[in-house]
Amino acid sequence: MSSPIQRAVGQVFIPVRDMASAIDWYSRLLGFEPAASSHKGTIFDIPTEGATRLALDANRPEFDSAGPPRFFLGTEDMSATVRHLDDLGVKITSDVEDIGSVVFVQFEDPDGNPLMVCQRG
């Protein structure tokens, strides 16, 4: 079976309500210098490593953030990650869980978006 659609994620959009606050929060979470948004202030491309891009999207401020995390970020040190989240006052929504192949923790951004950080085993 073939398809003209590539099996690769190009970009993940994170819906946000207040772009300036979201840029500030994600810059502290991920350790990058805040910069200006684009598309009349409705899109901000987070500097990423690797092929998949990550963007904050304020085009639909009436979104529902319910549900599980739709992607995960990586770490090589889960203990340092949890300390970092605690230091930032982030709402952590799960215990650190070890399921064998990964250790993960779930948390929320200020808009209630469910996020996850995983450390591969």
Side-chain angles (χ1 to χ4, degrees):
M1 176 187 275
S2 68
S3 172
I5 300 171
Q6 299 172 344
R7 292 182 305 261
V9 175
Q11 186 157 7
V12 174
F13 290 89
I14 302 171
V16 299
R17 292 180 179 90
D18 181 327
M19 183 59 77
S21 292
I23 292 170
D24 178 64
W25 191 85
Y26 278 91
S27 70
R28 289 183 288 116
L29 178 74
L30 299 174
F32 63 86
E33 287 296 319
S37 54
S38 63
H39 298 79
K40 299 180 182 177
T42 62
I43 298 290
F44 177 79
D45 291 312
I46 293 174
T48 57
E49 300 168 359
T52 304
R53 295 172 47 184
L54 190 59
L56 303 177
D57 182 352
N59 282 296
R60 292 173 184 80
E62 299 304 319
F63 63 88
D64 181 0
S65 62
R70 287 150 180 94
F71 66 93
F72 70 83
L73 300 162
T75 186
E76 293 183 8
D77 186 338
M78 185 57 71
S79 295
T81 295
V82 171
R83 283 192 305 276
H84 180 63
L85 295 173
D86 284 337
D87 289 348
L88 293 173
V90 171
K91 180 180 178 183
I92 297 174
T93 58
S94 76
D95 292 330
V96 173
E97 297 184 46
D98 184 343
I99 60 170
S101 58
V102 297
V103 176
F104 68 91
V105 66
Q106 296 182 46
F107 58 101
E108 290 181 356
D109 75 3
D111 286 298
N113 289 305
L115 301 170
M116 178 187 289
V117 173
C118 293
Q119 180 178 350
R120 296 196 185 269

